[in-house]
Amino acid sequence: MIQDEEVEVLINDLFELYGYDFTGYSRASIKRRINRLFILDSFPSFAEFRYRLKVDSAYLKRFVEEITVNVTEMFRDPLFYKTLREEVIPNIATKPFIRIWHAGCSTGEEVFSMAILLQEANLLHKALIYATDINPNVLEKARKGIFPLSQMRQYSENYISSGGRQDFSSYYTANYDRVKFDESFATRMIFSTHNLVCDGSFNEFDLILCRNVLIYFDIPLQNRVFELFDASLDTLAYLALGSKETMKFSSVTSNFKQLGKEKIWRKM
Amino acid sequence: MEKNVIMSPTCELVLIGGSSGSLDVLLKIISSLRKDISIAIVVVVHRKTTSDSTLSELFSIRSSLPVKEVEDKDAIIPGVVYLAPSDYHLLFEKKHVFALDYSEKVNYSRPSIDVTFDSASEAYGNNAVAILLSGANADGTEGLKAIHQQGGITIAQTPETASFPYMPEQAILHAPVDFQMSVEQMIDYINGK
Ligand SMILES: C[S@@+](CC[C@H](N)C(=O)[O-])C[C@H]1O[C@@H](n2cnc3c(N)ncnc32)[C@H](O)[C@@H]1O
C-alpha cells in the first residue's frame, strides 16, 4: 500500500519533472487510483514505482491515463438530458450559431448523446461541439464514434427515458461487437486536449457541460475551473454539472441561477 | 463488550452497509435512532440507479434525524444520516469531508461497501464503527478488514436474522468481526454512542 506521504512525493515528482499538476486533485480518489496501479503493475516497492515514473516516459503516459477515471455512458441520468431537451436547447435554438463545450468528455459518449439531441431539434447543422479532455487516448476513441454493442440496450433505454422518440439503433451501424455512430455527427465535433488545471479559455459558449470531472478536484481547484467557465460563457448561457456536483462552494456562483433541481445553471 | 466501553468516547462515525434484504433492517434502524445522537451515520446500500431519490425520501419519512444524499465535498456533520448516492463510490476526502468517485464498479457494485469502508478506515482510524447487514454477495468483507486493521469496530448482522445471510456470513468467515448483532442489538449499540 502507498502511504499518504508517498502520494505527495509522486505528485511532486510529476510536477517537477514533467509539469503535470495534480496538486489540486482530491486525495481520496487519487490515492485509490495510485494504489490500484501499484498493485496492477506488481511493483515490489514504492521506490521502484517512483523510479520507473522518473526514468520511463512511456510509463508516465500510462500513469496519467490510469489515474484519471474515464468511465462514462450515453444519456447517463436520462432526466438531465430531458431537461436539456426541453428547457435548455429551445433557449439556445434561436442563436445563429451554437457553440457547446464538453470539458472532460472522456471517450465521447456524452458528446454523441448531445449531437443526437441537437439533430432531433434540427439544430446540428448550425452547431459546433468542442470536446476536450486531458487524456489524448480517450479523445482518440471519442473521435471514432465507435462504442461497444453490448452497451446499446442500456443506452437505448436511457435515450427513451430522456424523451427520445426515434429508433435509437437508426443512429448507428453495428459491426460484430461494436457500433459506429453516423459520420454526420462527428463532422460537427472538434476534439482537442485541454487541461482544466492550466489551460485557459478558448472561446465563448452557449452551453458548457463538465460532468463528473470536478468530483476529482479539491474546492480551490474547482473554484479556478468555475472562473474559467464563467469567463467562457455568454450571458444567458448554461453550465451543466454532474448529478452530485455543485456550484455552491464557488465564488462565481452569484453570477448564476440554477434551473430548478437540475444541475444546470444559467449565467445572468 | 469491553471493547465497546473503551472505544465509545471516540466513535465519530457509524457506517452501515447493506444489499439484498437490508432495506427493512435499515428502515428499522433509522427510525429508532436517538434524536440527539452525536455521531454521523453513513449508509451504503446496493440499489438500482432509478430508485435514487425515492430511497432518501423513504429514509426521511421514517427518521427523526435529517437524512441527506451525499453531494460532492459535503461536510460531515454529527447527527445526520448520510446516504451514498447511486452510481458513485462514496469516499472520505479526510475526516469530516466526503468525496465522490465515478470509477469502475467493485464487486459489481457502485457504490461498493468495501470502497467506502476502506476509505473510512483511512480517514477515521479507530473512530469508526462499521456494520454489515443482509446481502447476497461478498461486498463489505474487505472493508471490515480495513476498519478492523485501523482499530475501528466491526459488526455483522447475525446471519440467522438476515433475509440474505451470505454477506454477513462471508464477513464472519473471512474478516475479524468484533460483534454479531440482531437488529435490536444494533439499535441499542448505536444509540449508546
Ligand atoms: C469520469 S469521466 C467523465 C466523463 C463524462 N463527462 C461523464 O460524466 O460521463 C472524467 C474525465 O475527466 C478527465 N479529466 C481529469 N482531469 C482533467 C483535467 N485536468 N482536464 C481535463 N480533463 C480532465 C478524465 O480524463 C476523464 O476522461
Side-chain angles (χ1 to χ4, degrees), chain A residues 25 68-73 76 103-106 110 133-135 138 194-197 211-213 216-217, chain B residues 102:
Chain A
Y25 277 58
T68 50
V69 173
N70 301 313
V71 175
T72 185
E73 258 180 47
R76 178 178 185 208
C105 68
S106 192
E110 198 181 76
D133 202 282
I134 189 179
N135 180 347
V138 291
H194 181 280
N195 184 344
L196 289 167
V197 177
R211 309 190 72 221
N212 304 306
V213 182
Y216 298 104
F217 297 172
Chain B
Y102 187 47

PDB file of all heavy atoms in Angstrom, chain A residues 25 68-73 76 103-106 110 133-135 138 194-197 211-213 216-217, chain B residues 102, ligand 1:
ATOM      1  N   TYR A  25      -5.891  17.861  -7.025  1.00  0.00           N
ATOM      2  CA  TYR A  25      -6.804  16.717  -7.139  1.00  0.00           C
ATOM      3  C   TYR A  25      -7.195  16.205  -5.759  1.00  0.00           C
ATOM      4  O   TYR A  25      -6.417  16.254  -4.811  1.00  0.00           O
ATOM      5  CB  TYR A  25      -6.154  15.580  -7.955  1.00  0.00           C
ATOM      6  CG  TYR A  25      -6.283  15.779  -9.450  1.00  0.00           C
ATOM      7  CD1 TYR A  25      -5.780  16.931 -10.058  1.00  0.00           C
ATOM      8  CD2 TYR A  25      -6.922  14.842 -10.255  1.00  0.00           C
ATOM      9  CE1 TYR A  25      -5.912  17.132 -11.421  1.00  0.00           C
ATOM     10  CE2 TYR A  25      -7.042  15.033 -11.623  1.00  0.00           C
ATOM     11  CZ  TYR A  25      -6.536  16.181 -12.204  1.00  0.00           C
ATOM     12  OH  TYR A  25      -6.670  16.366 -13.545  1.00  0.00           O
ATOM     13  N   THR A  68      -6.475   8.926 -14.050  1.00  0.00           N
ATOM     14  CA  THR A  68      -7.716   9.647 -14.332  1.00  0.00           C
ATOM     15  C   THR A  68      -8.807   8.605 -14.622  1.00  0.00           C
ATOM     16  O   THR A  68      -8.542   7.599 -15.259  1.00  0.00           O
ATOM     17  CB  THR A  68      -7.548  10.580 -15.539  1.00  0.00           C
ATOM     18  OG1 THR A  68      -6.965   9.851 -16.611  1.00  0.00           O
ATOM     19  CG2 THR A  68      -6.646  11.748 -15.207  1.00  0.00           C
ATOM     20  N   VAL A  69      -9.993   8.867 -14.144  1.00  0.00           N
ATOM     21  CA  VAL A  69     -11.105   7.922 -14.296  1.00  0.00           C
ATOM     22  C   VAL A  69     -11.878   8.252 -15.567  1.00  0.00           C
ATOM     23  O   VAL A  69     -12.313   9.388 -15.747  1.00  0.00           O
ATOM     24  CB  VAL A  69     -12.046   8.003 -13.074  1.00  0.00           C
ATOM     25  CG1 VAL A  69     -13.291   7.174 -13.291  1.00  0.00           C
ATOM     26  CG2 VAL A  69     -11.314   7.578 -11.820  1.00  0.00           C
ATOM     27  N   ASN A  70     -12.034   7.272 -16.460  1.00  0.00           N
ATOM     28  CA  ASN A  70     -12.650   7.558 -17.761  1.00  0.00           C
ATOM     29  C   ASN A  70     -14.028   6.951 -17.960  1.00  0.00           C
ATOM     30  O   ASN A  70     -14.561   6.949 -19.061  1.00  0.00           O
ATOM     31  CB  ASN A  70     -11.729   7.050 -18.878  1.00  0.00           C
ATOM     32  CG  ASN A  70     -10.364   7.699 -18.808  1.00  0.00           C
ATOM     33  OD1 ASN A  70     -10.278   8.910 -18.669  1.00  0.00           O
ATOM     34  ND2 ASN A  70      -9.321   6.901 -18.857  1.00  0.00           N
ATOM     35  N   VAL A  71     -14.606   6.409 -16.904  1.00  0.00           N
ATOM     36  CA  VAL A  71     -15.908   5.754 -17.020  1.00  0.00           C
ATOM     37  C   VAL A  71     -16.964   6.764 -17.495  1.00  0.00           C
ATOM     38  O   VAL A  71     -17.012   7.897 -17.016  1.00  0.00           O
ATOM     39  CB  VAL A  71     -16.334   5.169 -15.652  1.00  0.00           C
ATOM     40  CG1 VAL A  71     -17.724   4.583 -15.719  1.00  0.00           C
ATOM     41  CG2 VAL A  71     -15.320   4.130 -15.179  1.00  0.00           C
ATOM     42  N   THR A  72     -17.779   6.367 -18.451  1.00  0.00           N
ATOM     43  CA  THR A  72     -18.829   7.261 -18.951  1.00  0.00           C
ATOM     44  C   THR A  72     -19.932   6.452 -19.626  1.00  0.00           C
ATOM     45  O   THR A  72     -19.799   5.247 -19.808  1.00  0.00           O
ATOM     46  CB  THR A  72     -18.236   8.316 -19.910  1.00  0.00           C
ATOM     47  OG1 THR A  72     -19.264   9.237 -20.286  1.00  0.00           O
ATOM     48  CG2 THR A  72     -17.642   7.686 -21.160  1.00  0.00           C
ATOM     49  N   GLU A  73     -21.028   7.111 -19.972  1.00  0.00           N
ATOM     50  CA  GLU A  73     -22.182   6.434 -20.569  1.00  0.00           C
ATOM     51  C   GLU A  73     -22.898   7.375 -21.526  1.00  0.00           C
ATOM     52  O   GLU A  73     -22.779   8.582 -21.383  1.00  0.00           O
ATOM     53  CB  GLU A  73     -23.210   6.121 -19.467  1.00  0.00           C
ATOM     54  CG  GLU A  73     -23.242   4.707 -18.988  1.00  0.00           C
ATOM     55  CD  GLU A  73     -24.304   4.542 -17.908  1.00  0.00           C
ATOM     56  OE1 GLU A  73     -25.438   5.019 -18.099  1.00  0.00           O
ATOM     57  OE2 GLU A  73     -23.977   3.941 -16.873  1.00  0.00           O
ATOM     58  N   ARG A  76     -26.495   9.204 -19.770  1.00  0.00           N
ATOM     59  CA  ARG A  76     -26.454   8.917 -18.345  1.00  0.00           C
ATOM     60  C   ARG A  76     -27.322   9.951 -17.631  1.00  0.00           C
ATOM     61  O   ARG A  76     -27.290  11.118 -17.960  1.00  0.00           O
ATOM     62  CB  ARG A  76     -25.012   9.032 -17.864  1.00  0.00           C
ATOM     63  CG  ARG A  76     -24.917   8.806 -16.407  1.00  0.00           C
ATOM     64  CD  ARG A  76     -23.519   8.870 -15.897  1.00  0.00           C
ATOM     65  NE  ARG A  76     -23.563   8.515 -14.496  1.00  0.00           N
ATOM     66  CZ  ARG A  76     -22.708   8.925 -13.595  1.00  0.00           C
ATOM     67  NH1 ARG A  76     -21.713   9.703 -13.945  1.00  0.00           N
ATOM     68  NH2 ARG A  76     -22.826   8.540 -12.363  1.00  0.00           N
ATOM     69  N   ALA A 103     -16.259  19.655 -21.396  1.00  0.00           N
ATOM     70  CA  ALA A 103     -14.947  19.652 -20.748  1.00  0.00           C
ATOM     71  C   ALA A 103     -14.798  18.360 -19.941  1.00  0.00           C
ATOM     72  O   ALA A 103     -15.610  18.093 -19.059  1.00  0.00           O
ATOM     73  CB  ALA A 103     -14.816  20.866 -19.844  1.00  0.00           C
ATOM     74  N   GLY A 104     -13.791  17.566 -20.275  1.00  0.00           N
ATOM     75  CA  GLY A 104     -13.645  16.245 -19.637  1.00  0.00           C
ATOM     76  C   GLY A 104     -14.606  15.262 -20.268  1.00  0.00           C
ATOM     77  O   GLY A 104     -15.408  14.628 -19.607  1.00  0.00           O
ATOM     78  N   CYS A 105     -14.527  15.144 -21.600  1.00  0.00           N
ATOM     79  CA  CYS A 105     -15.534  14.373 -22.353  1.00  0.00           C
ATOM     80  C   CYS A 105     -15.263  12.881 -22.357  1.00  0.00           C
ATOM     81  O   CYS A 105     -16.083  12.102 -22.813  1.00  0.00           O
ATOM     82  CB  CYS A 105     -15.610  14.881 -23.786  1.00  0.00           C
ATOM     83  SG  CYS A 105     -14.101  14.526 -24.726  1.00  0.00           S
ATOM     84  N   SER A 106     -14.075  12.481 -21.881  1.00  0.00           N
ATOM     85  CA  SER A 106     -13.700  11.070 -21.881  1.00  0.00           C
ATOM     86  C   SER A 106     -13.864  10.460 -23.284  1.00  0.00           C
ATOM     87  O   SER A 106     -13.525  11.124 -24.268  1.00  0.00           O
ATOM     88  CB  SER A 106     -14.505  10.304 -20.827  1.00  0.00           C
ATOM     89  OG  SER A 106     -13.941   9.023 -20.662  1.00  0.00           O
ATOM     90  N   GLU A 110     -20.985  11.096 -24.046  1.00  0.00           N
ATOM     91  CA  GLU A 110     -21.799  12.265 -23.730  1.00  0.00           C
ATOM     92  C   GLU A 110     -21.910  13.195 -24.943  1.00  0.00           C
ATOM     93  O   GLU A 110     -22.970  13.782 -25.204  1.00  0.00           O
ATOM     94  CB  GLU A 110     -21.077  12.979 -22.591  1.00  0.00           C
ATOM     95  CG  GLU A 110     -21.838  13.941 -21.788  1.00  0.00           C
ATOM     96  CD  GLU A 110     -20.914  14.544 -20.722  1.00  0.00           C
ATOM     97  OE1 GLU A 110     -20.087  15.410 -21.064  1.00  0.00           O
ATOM     98  OE2 GLU A 110     -21.014  14.131 -19.564  1.00  0.00           O
ATOM     99  N   ASP A 133     -10.423  16.888 -23.321  1.00  0.00           N
ATOM    100  CA  ASP A 133     -10.050  16.062 -22.181  1.00  0.00           C
ATOM    101  C   ASP A 133      -8.547  16.195 -21.985  1.00  0.00           C
ATOM    102  O   ASP A 133      -7.821  16.586 -22.907  1.00  0.00           O
ATOM    103  CB  ASP A 133     -10.425  14.592 -22.439  1.00  0.00           C
ATOM    104  CG  ASP A 133     -10.564  13.790 -21.147  1.00  0.00           C
ATOM    105  OD1 ASP A 133      -9.526  13.403 -20.576  1.00  0.00           O
ATOM    106  OD2 ASP A 133     -11.705  13.566 -20.705  1.00  0.00           O
ATOM    107  N   ILE A 134      -8.076  15.854 -20.787  1.00  0.00           N
ATOM    108  CA  ILE A 134      -6.636  15.890 -20.513  1.00  0.00           C
ATOM    109  C   ILE A 134      -5.938  14.696 -21.169  1.00  0.00           C
ATOM    110  O   ILE A 134      -4.760  14.738 -21.472  1.00  0.00           O
ATOM    111  CB  ILE A 134      -6.385  15.874 -18.982  1.00  0.00           C
ATOM    112  CG1 ILE A 134      -4.923  16.127 -18.636  1.00  0.00           C
ATOM    113  CG2 ILE A 134      -6.845  14.578 -18.353  1.00  0.00           C
ATOM    114  CD1 ILE A 134      -4.636  16.136 -17.132  1.00  0.00           C
ATOM    115  N   ASN A 135      -6.702  13.633 -21.420  1.00  0.00           N
ATOM    116  CA  ASN A 135      -6.133  12.350 -21.824  1.00  0.00           C
ATOM    117  C   ASN A 135      -6.294  12.121 -23.333  1.00  0.00           C
ATOM    118  O   ASN A 135      -7.400  11.903 -23.820  1.00  0.00           O
ATOM    119  CB  ASN A 135      -6.869  11.265 -21.012  1.00  0.00           C
ATOM    120  CG  ASN A 135      -6.399   9.867 -21.312  1.00  0.00           C
ATOM    121  OD1 ASN A 135      -5.686   9.628 -22.288  1.00  0.00           O
ATOM    122  ND2 ASN A 135      -6.791   8.939 -20.459  1.00  0.00           N
ATOM    123  N   VAL A 138      -8.301   8.862 -24.705  1.00  0.00           N
ATOM    124  CA  VAL A 138      -9.763   8.793 -24.755  1.00  0.00           C
ATOM    125  C   VAL A 138     -10.298   9.621 -25.917  1.00  0.00           C
ATOM    126  O   VAL A 138     -11.292   9.256 -26.546  1.00  0.00           O
ATOM    127  CB  VAL A 138     -10.431   9.219 -23.421  1.00  0.00           C
ATOM    128  CG1 VAL A 138     -10.158   8.212 -22.335  1.00  0.00           C
ATOM    129  CG2 VAL A 138     -10.043  10.614 -22.984  1.00  0.00           C
ATOM    130  N   HIS A 194      -7.210  19.460 -23.616  1.00  0.00           N
ATOM    131  CA  HIS A 194      -7.305  20.704 -22.861  1.00  0.00           C
ATOM    132  C   HIS A 194      -7.231  20.298 -21.401  1.00  0.00           C
ATOM    133  O   HIS A 194      -7.991  19.436 -20.954  1.00  0.00           O
ATOM    134  CB  HIS A 194      -8.621  21.427 -23.160  1.00  0.00           C
ATOM    135  CG  HIS A 194      -8.776  22.732 -22.418  1.00  0.00           C
ATOM    136  ND1 HIS A 194      -9.171  22.779 -21.094  1.00  0.00           N
ATOM    137  CD2 HIS A 194      -8.578  24.015 -22.795  1.00  0.00           C
ATOM    138  CE1 HIS A 194      -9.213  24.053 -20.706  1.00  0.00           C
ATOM    139  NE2 HIS A 194      -8.856  24.810 -21.719  1.00  0.00           N
ATOM    140  N   ASN A 195      -6.294  20.887 -20.678  1.00  0.00           N
ATOM    141  CA  ASN A 195      -6.145  20.569 -19.261  1.00  0.00           C
ATOM    142  C   ASN A 195      -6.801  21.671 -18.437  1.00  0.00           C
ATOM    143  O   ASN A 195      -6.368  22.825 -18.462  1.00  0.00           O
ATOM    144  CB  ASN A 195      -4.650  20.453 -18.928  1.00  0.00           C
ATOM    145  CG  ASN A 195      -4.430  20.015 -17.490  1.00  0.00           C
ATOM    146  OD1 ASN A 195      -5.336  20.085 -16.662  1.00  0.00           O
ATOM    147  ND2 ASN A 195      -3.217  19.561 -17.212  1.00  0.00           N
ATOM    148  N   LEU A 196      -7.857  21.302 -17.714  1.00  0.00           N
ATOM    149  CA  LEU A 196      -8.614  22.298 -16.944  1.00  0.00           C
ATOM    150  C   LEU A 196      -7.767  22.944 -15.850  1.00  0.00           C
ATOM    151  O   LEU A 196      -8.091  24.027 -15.377  1.00  0.00           O
ATOM    152  CB  LEU A 196      -9.855  21.637 -16.321  1.00  0.00           C
ATOM    153  CG  LEU A 196     -10.957  21.266 -17.317  1.00  0.00           C
ATOM    154  CD1 LEU A 196     -11.976  20.340 -16.664  1.00  0.00           C
ATOM    155  CD2 LEU A 196     -11.640  22.527 -17.846  1.00  0.00           C
ATOM    156  N   VAL A 197      -6.681  22.291 -15.462  1.00  0.00           N
ATOM    157  CA  VAL A 197      -5.833  22.836 -14.402  1.00  0.00           C
ATOM    158  C   VAL A 197      -5.038  24.043 -14.891  1.00  0.00           C
ATOM    159  O   VAL A 197      -4.862  25.015 -14.173  1.00  0.00           O
ATOM    160  CB  VAL A 197      -4.875  21.756 -13.854  1.00  0.00           C
ATOM    161  CG1 VAL A 197      -3.936  22.343 -12.807  1.00  0.00           C
ATOM    162  CG2 VAL A 197      -5.651  20.585 -13.282  1.00  0.00           C
ATOM    163  N   ARG A 211     -19.161  17.268 -16.564  1.00  0.00           N
ATOM    164  CA  ARG A 211     -19.869  16.347 -15.679  1.00  0.00           C
ATOM    165  C   ARG A 211     -18.930  15.275 -15.132  1.00  0.00           C
ATOM    166  O   ARG A 211     -18.194  14.645 -15.884  1.00  0.00           O
ATOM    167  CB  ARG A 211     -21.037  15.695 -16.429  1.00  0.00           C
ATOM    168  CG  ARG A 211     -21.932  16.754 -17.117  1.00  0.00           C
ATOM    169  CD  ARG A 211     -23.203  16.149 -17.658  1.00  0.00           C
ATOM    170  NE  ARG A 211     -24.094  15.811 -16.578  1.00  0.00           N
ATOM    171  CZ  ARG A 211     -24.813  14.696 -16.514  1.00  0.00           C
ATOM    172  NH1 ARG A 211     -24.718  13.797 -17.468  1.00  0.00           N
ATOM    173  NH2 ARG A 211     -25.591  14.475 -15.490  1.00  0.00           N
ATOM    174  N   ASN A 212     -18.960  15.129 -13.843  1.00  0.00           N
ATOM    175  CA  ASN A 212     -18.161  14.093 -13.181  1.00  0.00           C
ATOM    176  C   ASN A 212     -16.666  14.244 -13.402  1.00  0.00           C
ATOM    177  O   ASN A 212     -15.933  13.273 -13.511  1.00  0.00           O
ATOM    178  CB  ASN A 212     -18.653  12.706 -13.597  1.00  0.00           C
ATOM    179  CG  ASN A 212     -20.130  12.540 -13.298  1.00  0.00           C
ATOM    180  OD1 ASN A 212     -20.544  12.744 -12.167  1.00  0.00           O
ATOM    181  ND2 ASN A 212     -20.923  12.245 -14.303  1.00  0.00           N
ATOM    182  N   VAL A 213     -16.243  15.464 -13.524  1.00  0.00           N
ATOM    183  CA  VAL A 213     -14.813  15.788 -13.594  1.00  0.00           C
ATOM    184  C   VAL A 213     -14.422  16.526 -12.308  1.00  0.00           C
ATOM    185  O   VAL A 213     -13.430  16.204 -11.660  1.00  0.00           O
ATOM    186  CB  VAL A 213     -14.508  16.680 -14.815  1.00  0.00           C
ATOM    187  CG1 VAL A 213     -13.020  16.974 -14.894  1.00  0.00           C
ATOM    188  CG2 VAL A 213     -14.999  16.022 -16.102  1.00  0.00           C
ATOM    189  N   TYR A 216     -13.242  15.090  -8.943  1.00  0.00           N
ATOM    190  CA  TYR A 216     -11.840  14.691  -8.740  1.00  0.00           C
ATOM    191  C   TYR A 216     -10.955  15.843  -8.283  1.00  0.00           C
ATOM    192  O   TYR A 216      -9.770  15.662  -8.063  1.00  0.00           O
ATOM    193  CB  TYR A 216     -11.279  14.051 -10.020  1.00  0.00           C
ATOM    194  CG  TYR A 216     -12.050  12.817 -10.345  1.00  0.00           C
ATOM    195  CD1 TYR A 216     -13.003  12.797 -11.360  1.00  0.00           C
ATOM    196  CD2 TYR A 216     -11.915  11.679  -9.557  1.00  0.00           C
ATOM    197  CE1 TYR A 216     -13.768  11.664 -11.599  1.00  0.00           C
ATOM    198  CE2 TYR A 216     -12.673  10.551  -9.773  1.00  0.00           C
ATOM    199  CZ  TYR A 216     -13.598  10.546 -10.801  1.00  0.00           C
ATOM    200  OH  TYR A 216     -14.364   9.436 -11.003  1.00  0.00           O
ATOM    201  N   PHE A 217     -11.520  17.037  -8.173  1.00  0.00           N
ATOM    202  CA  PHE A 217     -10.739  18.221  -7.799  1.00  0.00           C
ATOM    203  C   PHE A 217     -11.096  18.671  -6.390  1.00  0.00           C
ATOM    204  O   PHE A 217     -12.240  18.516  -5.950  1.00  0.00           O
ATOM    205  CB  PHE A 217     -11.054  19.393  -8.761  1.00  0.00           C
ATOM    206  CG  PHE A 217     -10.678  19.141 -10.205  1.00  0.00           C
ATOM    207  CD1 PHE A 217     -11.054  20.053 -11.195  1.00  0.00           C
ATOM    208  CD2 PHE A 217      -9.950  18.020 -10.596  1.00  0.00           C
ATOM    209  CE1 PHE A 217     -10.711  19.852 -12.532  1.00  0.00           C
ATOM    210  CE2 PHE A 217      -9.603  17.803 -11.931  1.00  0.00           C
ATOM    211  CZ  PHE A 217      -9.990  18.726 -12.900  1.00  0.00           C
TER     212      PHE A 217
ATOM    213  N   TYR B 102     -16.438   8.251  -9.609  1.00  0.00           N
ATOM    214  CA  TYR B 102     -17.228   7.537 -10.618  1.00  0.00           C
ATOM    215  C   TYR B 102     -16.343   6.517 -11.328  1.00  0.00           C
ATOM    216  O   TYR B 102     -16.359   6.410 -12.531  1.00  0.00           O
ATOM    217  CB  TYR B 102     -17.804   8.567 -11.604  1.00  0.00           C
ATOM    218  CG  TYR B 102     -18.775   8.011 -12.606  1.00  0.00           C
ATOM    219  CD1 TYR B 102     -19.801   7.155 -12.220  1.00  0.00           C
ATOM    220  CD2 TYR B 102     -18.689   8.336 -13.949  1.00  0.00           C
ATOM    221  CE1 TYR B 102     -20.684   6.652 -13.141  1.00  0.00           C
ATOM    222  CE2 TYR B 102     -19.576   7.841 -14.887  1.00  0.00           C
ATOM    223  CZ  TYR B 102     -20.571   6.995 -14.470  1.00  0.00           C
ATOM    224  OH  TYR B 102     -21.448   6.491 -15.388  1.00  0.00           O
TER     225      TYR B 102
HETATM  226  C1  LIG C   1     -15.486  10.197 -15.122  1.00  0.00           C
HETATM  227  S1  LIG C   1     -15.003  10.956 -16.625  1.00  0.00           S
HETATM  228  C2  LIG C   1     -16.434  11.894 -17.018  1.00  0.00           C
HETATM  229  C3  LIG C   1     -16.936  11.643 -18.409  1.00  0.00           C
HETATM  230  C4  LIG C   1     -18.268  12.281 -18.761  1.00  0.00           C
HETATM  231  N1  LIG C   1     -18.218  13.731 -18.664  1.00  0.00           N
HETATM  232  C5  LIG C   1     -19.390  11.714 -17.921  1.00  0.00           C
HETATM  233  O1  LIG C   1     -19.851  12.364 -16.983  1.00  0.00           O
HETATM  234  O2  LIG C   1     -19.834  10.586 -18.162  1.00  0.00           O
HETATM  235  C6  LIG C   1     -13.796  12.172 -16.116  1.00  0.00           C
HETATM  236  C7  LIG C   1     -12.924  12.704 -17.246  1.00  0.00           C
HETATM  237  O3  LIG C   1     -12.231  13.877 -16.799  1.00  0.00           O
HETATM  238  C8  LIG C   1     -10.956  13.919 -17.395  1.00  0.00           C
HETATM  239  N2  LIG C   1     -10.055  14.806 -16.659  1.00  0.00           N
HETATM  240  C9  LIG C   1      -9.445  14.581 -15.467  1.00  0.00           C
HETATM  241  N3  LIG C   1      -8.646  15.614 -15.139  1.00  0.00           N
HETATM  242  C10 LIG C   1      -8.771  16.534 -16.137  1.00  0.00           C
HETATM  243  C11 LIG C   1      -8.207  17.816 -16.365  1.00  0.00           C
HETATM  244  N4  LIG C   1      -7.321  18.357 -15.515  1.00  0.00           N
HETATM  245  N5  LIG C   1      -8.552  18.489 -17.501  1.00  0.00           N
HETATM  246  C12 LIG C   1      -9.433  17.944 -18.376  1.00  0.00           C
HETATM  247  N6  LIG C   1      -9.998  16.734 -18.205  1.00  0.00           N
HETATM  248  C13 LIG C   1      -9.681  16.025 -17.099  1.00  0.00           C
HETATM  249  C14 LIG C   1     -10.536  12.452 -17.376  1.00  0.00           C
HETATM  250  O4  LIG C   1      -9.505  12.195 -18.313  1.00  0.00           O
HETATM  251  C15 LIG C   1     -11.851  11.743 -17.703  1.00  0.00           C
HETATM  252  O5  LIG C   1     -11.967  11.473 -19.063  1.00  0.00           O
END
